[in-house]
Amino acid sequence: MAQKRLMQELIPLHKEKWVHIETDETNLLRWKLGLWVVNPDSVWHGAFLKAEMKFPSDYPYQPPSFRFLTRNICHPNVYTDGNLCISILHRPGDDEQSGELASERWNVLHGVESVLRSVLLLMDDPEINSAANVDASVLYRDDREEYDTLARAIVAQSQKDVPDGVSMPTPAQLAPVPQKQVDDDPDFWNVTDDEEHFGSSESDQDMGDFEDEDEDDLV
């Protein structure tokens, strides 16, 4: 079941320009990927972040794992070994110890795309209260200028890992494809005299008099 579900998710993801995915035909439960940070307002803008995802045999009932392969990422929620701490990848159900609700954690309605988009959001909006990297968390809180400098250095370094033939998508490539509008029926608005009062009744037409009488009674 896991492999069938992953194939269904992989096909549309191959069409997305902000993620580059490589899979092993002999082991579909392990993906290598690169995430483009396309948010122009992000300190990570322009980064090509390499990562790997591993899926359990009972996916999607249990979450995949996510680990950055890009080295030395300085981020409050990225461990020094590249593993990511994010609620959406935690096992289903409430967790009394951490205080996380089931709605914040993994469930079968999630998929690879929702995970990847959550990762990109977390890069810009880290959770510093439950830091995986305490030093990065303190730096983010107390010395944002130095944090941003380190982030930009990682961005520049990551661009050296872009595979041949892969490039950062342009804003036009990221824009949603316009949907063709269906022309209205030209006869729809041509109401005939017979149809003008369609759906109304004599009681509806008399309603105005009824309302006038009510107003007089209230005076």
Side-chain angles (χ1 to χ4, degrees), residues 46-79:
F48 182 78
L49 302 176
K50 296 173 62 180
E52 69 174 1
M53 294 184 73
K54 295 181 180 179
F55 301 88
S57 58
D58 55 352
Y59 177 84
Y61 297 105
Q62 295 298 329
S65 65
F66 183 101
R67 182 170 74 93
F68 281 112
L69 300 179
T70 297
R71 299 175 63 84
N72 301 322
I73 292 180
C74 180
H75 188 280
N77 304 117
V78 180
Y79 291 99

Side-chain angles (χ1 to χ4, degrees), residues 69-142:
L69 300 179
T70 297
R71 299 175 63 84
N72 301 322
I73 292 180
C74 180
H75 188 280
N77 304 117
V78 180
Y79 291 99
T80 54
D81 63 358
N83 281 303
L84 181 68
C85 181
I86 186 171
S87 297
I88 194 175
L89 293 181
H90 294 165
R91 296 174 68 87
D94 295 333
D95 185 359
E96 295 181 1
Q97 184 174 358
S98 67
E100 288 180 345
L101 301 176
S103 59
E104 302 173 296
R105 296 161 67 91
W106 180 262
N107 65 65
V108 294
L109 298 179
H110 289 311
V112 178
E113 182 172 353
S114 60
V115 169
L116 298 183
R117 291 189 182 277
S118 296
V119 170
L120 290 174
L121 289 173
L122 186 67
M123 293 302 294
D124 290 339
D125 188 19
E127 176 53 67
I128 63 175
N129 293 326
S130 57
N133 185 326
V134 176
D135 291 340
S137 180
V138 172
L139 196 62
Y140 179 87
R141 184 190 63 197
D142 298 339

Side-chain angles (χ1 to χ4, degrees), residues 1 10 16 24-25 28 36 39 48 72 88 101 107 133 147 156-157 166 170 179 203 205 211 217:
M1 179 178 180
L10 183 61
E16 296 289 348
D24 184 347
E25 293 182 357
L28 195 58
W36 284 109
N39 177 11
F48 182 78
N72 301 322
I88 194 175
L101 301 176
N107 65 65
N133 185 326
Y147 176 88
Q157 183 64 34
V166 176
T170 64
Q179 299 295 318
S203 60
Q205 297 172 15
E211 292 175 349
D217 292 340

